Amino acid sequence: MAIQKDAYRRIATEEAFVIPEVLEPMRARFENEGYDPDLFFWSKAAAGSPLERRLYDLDDERLQVMDENGVDVHLLSLASTGVQMFDADKATALASLANDHMAEAIDRHPDRYAGLASFAPQDVAGAVKEIERAMTELDLNGLIVNSHTNGEYLDEPEYWPILEAAAALKAPLYIHPRAPSPAMAKPYRAHTLEHAIWGFQAETGLHAVRLIVSGVFDKFPDLKIVLGHMGEGLPYWLYRIDAMHKAFKAPDRAVLKQKPSDYFHQNFAITISGVNWTPALKFCIDAISADNIMFAIDYPFCDSAEAVEFMDSVDISEEDRKKIYSENAERIFNIKSA
Ligand code: MN
């Protein structure tokens, strides 16, 4: 049974774009420096390729593909690894440029786009300024970071000003994957496992667990983290994380006010990006509630029709389908309702 195109407001929450100022130097680095799992990713958007065209476009083909599939809104974000592989000063300037570019597209198509702001963790002071500008002047809907930056993670105290700013501005922080950090990369080289097949979720899941056990949610209780790919495995592991966190105390571990899973329920939401699979979605609804799950396609890397067909037809309640398609995104990312 086909669901009518207009039966739901469909908001897709992990949808990528890029600007040439970011794409071109990353591609050039790949050509000059040889294999790097993150640079390899950029090389896929070769000059003149359909992927490059789809990543640049915010006015034509993207809207057409959205219309063809009944997708109302793309929550846009700069494609991974964003600005995180650039030198600090350059990275902050590029984040501002990309955020301006995205905000202009939202202004041109206010009913079709919302956006997550980029920032450069490697320049903490600049990042805090850009986060404030993006949320207050550009009126964007949250933030995105592509997991580690130069092998470092946001639970480390030097990055707390970023978490503090995100919490204070009620800016949800989407932790998008990238390949495992340098210190954990080597075993993933075998069979090229460092990308979406396994490495992305291992890297991003680690980042999320680090945030939880570090105690940053006791320090910043309003901090909201969003994970793609059905929660990067965390919903499945919550019981075990709680059990082992309790069973084995470690001297270097913070004392938490609550169980690790409590923070996941309160401070996290997930999106389905790239996991169009009934058992996983049903499990996540059971484990973390349909209130904390959002629709996402991962355009232009994943197929819009497949994602929409899955979400239209998966055997869940109509109430949950509506939450996942639009109501949760409207609430969590402050996207105005239609
Ligand atoms: Mn993605």
Side-chain angles (χ1 to χ4, degrees):
M1 184 194 71
I3 287 178
Q4 294 294 319
K5 258 191 186 175
D6 57 356
Y8 293 89
R9 188 174 191 229
R10 297 180 182 84
I11 301 177
T13 56
E14 189 196 307
E15 315 311 321
F17 78 97
V18 79
I19 56 174
E21 292 84 348
V22 169
L23 176 54
E24 283 167 11
M26 299 302 280
R27 220 162 38 196
R29 250 175 91 171
F30 176 75
E31 278 152 25
N32 298 329
E33 291 178 21
Y35 187 80
D36 171 304
D38 289 306
L39 293 174
F40 170 77
F41 164 81
W42 288 97
S43 74
K44 308 273 274 183
S49 66
L51 183 60
E52 183 200 49
R53 185 185 74 228
R54 288 175 191 138
L55 282 167
Y56 282 156
D57 163 54
L58 290 168
D59 296 288
D60 298 306
E61 184 179 1
R62 181 182 300 257
L63 291 167
Q64 194 186 315
V65 172
M66 289 166 69
D67 288 341
E68 282 165 8
N69 292 286
V71 174
D72 296 277
V73 177
H74 271 191
L75 177 66
L76 300 168
S77 52
L78 186 62
S80 180
T81 53
V83 302
Q84 288 163 255
M85 292 173 77
F86 290 90
D87 292 339
D89 289 355
K90 173 101 177 148
T92 292
L94 284 172
S96 298
L97 192 67
N99 293 339
D100 284 341
H101 181 80
M102 185 174 68
E104 285 159 18
I106 297 168
D107 280 345
R108 289 195 300 278
H109 308 284
D111 301 332
R112 308 309 302 278
Y113 295 139
L116 300 177
S118 290
F119 60 91
Q122 62 272 48
D123 168 22
V124 173
V128 168
K129 274 175 76 176
E130 183 58 20
I131 288 168
E132 284 169 358
R133 188 183 79 91
M135 295 306 294
T136 59
E137 288 176 38
L138 301 182
D139 209 20
L140 294 175
N141 304 79
L143 312 168
I144 189 155
V145 70
N146 301 289
S147 201
H148 78 85
T149 305
N150 299 322
E152 297 191 348
Y153 294 82
L154 296 175
D155 59 284
E156 292 166 51
E158 64 180 289
Y159 298 106
W160 287 3
I162 290 170
L163 303 181
E164 187 177 16
L169 292 157
K170 301 246 187 301
L173 173 59
Y174 202 122
I175 307 185
H176 185 280
R178 64 179 288 189
S181 60
M184 71 185 277
K186 200 176 170 192
Y188 289 83
R189 278 279 40 232
H191 319 292
T192 314
L193 291 175
E194 59 263 75
H195 301 122
I197 183 170
W198 193 253
F200 282 9
Q201 142 269 342
E203 158 66 27
T204 314
L206 170 70
H207 202 153
V209 172
R210 285 185 61 143
L211 287 171
I212 291 170
V213 300
S214 72
V216 296
F217 299 106
D218 287 334
K219 200 151 181 53
F220 310 113
D222 292 332
L223 180 61
K224 186 73 150 185
I225 303 292
V226 180
L227 299 174
H229 315 101
M230 219 59 101
E232 310 290 5
L234 261 77
Y236 189 86
W237 282 96
L238 290 177
Y239 175 89
R240 179 122 170 117
I241 293 168
D242 279 352
M244 293 303 113
H245 188 263
K246 193 175 168 191
F248 299 100
K249 306 286 178 206
D252 67 338
R253 215 185 269 156
V255 176
L256 302 182
K257 289 183 183 163
Q258 302 179 81
K259 296 196 300 295
S261 65
D262 292 333
Y263 301 100
F264 200 81
H265 292 295
Q266 291 155 23
N267 296 92
F268 284 73
I270 71 169
T271 82
I272 74 163
S273 56
V275 187
N276 303 315
W277 193 35
T278 304
L281 179 60
K282 286 194 167 192
F283 171 78
C284 285
I285 290 174
D286 200 14
I288 67 165
S289 133
D291 293 328
N292 293 318
I293 305 172
M294 293 176 279
F295 178 62
I297 298 166
D298 210 0
Y299 181 90
F301 305 106
C302 291
D303 187 66
S304 297
E306 262 177 49
V308 170
E309 277 161 25
F310 167 70
M311 201 62 231
D312 277 3
S313 61
V314 63
D315 177 27
I316 58 174
S317 74
E318 294 313 292
E319 193 188 353
D320 286 352
R321 200 185 322 275
K322 201 170 177 192
K323 285 178 181 178
I324 294 168
Y325 254 146
S326 62
E327 289 173 347
N328 296 336
E330 289 166 356
R331 182 185 77 251
I332 291 165
F333 290 115
N334 193 24
I335 296 171
K336 62 181 185 306
S337 42

